[in-house]
């Protein structure tokens, strides 16, 4: 029997595609330890891995990994601004662009920037702009590009931290580093640095105190540069949530300082002993 060369024949032993369909996520319990072993109602953030200067083409870059959440940030500039007005003549312009890779979420996305990407880019801009000394860069533009490689929750908070670290790696003058932390309130219980499943889960029967909160914080100046919340929370719950996020930022601060100091030492060593071309 002649072979059909125009048809891609499947293997002789195959399985039904329905076996590989993702099962719907079960409702997470509102008490007891979390899925990754962390405790509820405590400032228990995920271990963070941070590196600077990984992208040689950018002026500054940073990579952050918190659990399964992975982000990369590149900073370009300062360079001459494209649009010139009275504001640009006195101080610089800060632009932010945050995007999700198509493979970053459980549901595959597209490279085209959607409404969620635009909203997160705006929140990122509002959190970083108060910390950058834009008056030092008149007629200039600083571009910040954040790429989410894997979304496992709390992407905005980690994007703020990663972008701040990339700005420092680029040598941009800043008043202070900006650190981000987020919580998820579920009734009377809350989780710090929530995962993707915890962010999209609502296990409490009551509709009160349901929402999320993200805080951008300047630890040395003890000031809040950005705050984003969704859902419905009482004033007392929101105030307690802000304090919890600030405490989470202070926990991340030594890790970020060590990563930045290590990048400075590596840059100084490379400047003193440049690698040979051979």
């Amino acid at each position: 029997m002649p072979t059909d060369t125009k048809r891609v024949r499947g293997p002789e032993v195959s399985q039904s595609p329905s076996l590989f369909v993702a099962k719907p996520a079960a409702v997470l319990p509102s008490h007891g330890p979390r899925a990754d072993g962390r405790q509820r109602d405590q400032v228990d953030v995920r271990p963070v891995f941070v590196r600077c200067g990984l992208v040689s083409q950018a002026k500054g870059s940073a990579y952050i990994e918190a659990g399964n959440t992975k982000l990369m940030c590149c900073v370009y500039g300062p360079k001459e601004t494209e649009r010139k007005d009275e504001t640009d003549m006195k101080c610089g312009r800060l632009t932010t662009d945050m995007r999700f890779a198509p493979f970053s979420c459980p549901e595959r996305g597209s490279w085209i920037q959607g409404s969620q990407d635009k909203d997160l880019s705006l929140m990122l801009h509002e959190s970083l702009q108060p910390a950058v000394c834009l008056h030092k860069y008149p007629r200039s533009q600083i571009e910040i590009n954040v790429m989410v490689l894997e979304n496992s929750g709390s992407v905005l908070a980690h994007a703020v931290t990663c972008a701040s670290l990339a700005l420092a790696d680029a040598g941009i003058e800043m008043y202070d580093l900006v650190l981000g932390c987020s919580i998820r309130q579920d009734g009377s219980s809350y989780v710090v640095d929530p995962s993707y499943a915890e962010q999209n889960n609502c296990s409490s029967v009551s509709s009160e105190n349901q929402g999320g909160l993200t805080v951008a914080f300047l630890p040395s100046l003890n000031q809040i540069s950005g705050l984003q919340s969704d859902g419905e929370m009482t004033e007392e719950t929101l105030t307690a949530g802000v304090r919890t996020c600030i405490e989470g930022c202070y926990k991340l601060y030594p890790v970020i300082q060590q990563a930045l100091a290590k990048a400075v030492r590596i840059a100084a060593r490379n400047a003193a002993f440049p690698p040979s071309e051979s």
Side-chain angles (χ1 to χ4, degrees):
M1 183 176 180
T3 303
D4 187 355
T5 59
K6 297 182 180 180
R7 179 176 300 174
V8 179
R9 304 172 67 182
E12 295 180 358
V13 180
S14 60
Q15 296 177 338
S16 173
S18 60
L19 297 176
F20 303 95
V21 176
K23 298 181 180 180
V27 177
L28 299 178
S30 58
H31 54 83
R34 298 157 68 177
D36 53 4
R38 292 181 292 161
Q39 299 297 323
R40 297 177 179 274
D41 302 326
Q42 294 183 11
V43 186
D44 200 354
V45 298
R46 290 176 286 187
V48 176
F49 173 83
V50 183
R51 283 293 181 272
C52 297
L54 298 180
V55 181
S56 59
Q57 293 83 359
K59 184 67 178 298
S61 61
Y63 171 80
I64 188 169
E65 185 174 320
N68 290 329
T69 298
K70 303 177 180 65
L71 298 95
M72 173 72 75
C73 178
C74 297
V75 173
Y76 301 91
K79 57 184 180 180
E80 186 177 0
T81 182
E82 298 176 358
R83 298 187 307 170
K84 296 182 179 180
D85 51 27
E86 294 182 358
T87 305
D88 296 330
M89 300 295 286
K90 298 179 181 179
C91 62
R93 183 190 299 271
L94 186 70
T95 63
T96 56
D97 182 63
M98 183 172 175
R99 296 175 184 267
F100 288 82
F103 50 82
S104 62
C105 300
E107 295 182 1
R108 188 173 180 86
S110 64
W111 284 106
I112 302 176
Q113 191 178 35
S115 58
Q116 182 186 11
D117 300 348
K118 294 179 180 179
D119 293 341
L120 291 175
S121 299
L122 179 60
M123 297 173 192
L124 181 64
H125 181 272
E126 293 176 348
S127 300
L128 294 174
Q129 187 172 10
V132 182
C133 301
L134 292 177
H135 63 280
K136 297 281 188 177
Y137 307 97
R139 308 180 183 181
S140 302
Q141 178 175 329
I142 302 172
E143 297 180 1
I144 302 175
N145 298 321
V146 177
M147 176 61 67
V148 180
L149 302 176
E150 186 172 353
N151 180 10
S152 184
S154 306
V155 289
L156 178 59
H158 294 301
V160 170
T161 305
C162 188
S164 172
L165 198 58
L167 285 169
D169 183 61
I172 304 298
E173 293 193 39
M174 304 171 64
Y175 296 106
D176 193 7
L177 289 173
V178 187
L179 305 181
C181 185
S182 61
I183 67 169
R184 177 68 185 179
Q185 189 74 32
D186 189 7
S188 60
S189 177
Y190 68 87
V191 291
V192 179
D193 193 13
S195 63
Y196 186 86
E198 291 170 340
Q199 277 187 336
N200 298 277
N201 177 68
C202 180
S203 58
S204 178
V205 179
S206 175
S207 60
E208 296 181 355
N209 286 336
Q210 295 285 342
L213 176 66
T214 301
V215 173
F217 184 67
L218 283 69
S220 297
L221 300 178
N222 195 26
Q223 294 182 359
I224 294 176
S225 63
L227 189 148
Q228 186 268 336
S229 65
D230 55 52
E232 296 183 2
M233 290 180 284
T234 61
E235 182 179 354
E236 294 78 9
T237 303
L238 190 61
T239 304
V242 171
R243 294 174 180 171
T244 303
C245 289
I246 292 176
E247 188 176 349
C249 292
Y250 276 121
K251 280 196 169 186
L252 293 175
Y253 195 33
V255 181
I256 304 303
Q257 284 181 316
Q258 292 176 6
L260 191 57
K262 182 178 180 180
V264 172
R265 289 195 299 268
I266 294 176
R269 185 172 64 248
N270 293 339
F273 304 99
S276 59
E277 298 180 356
S278 60

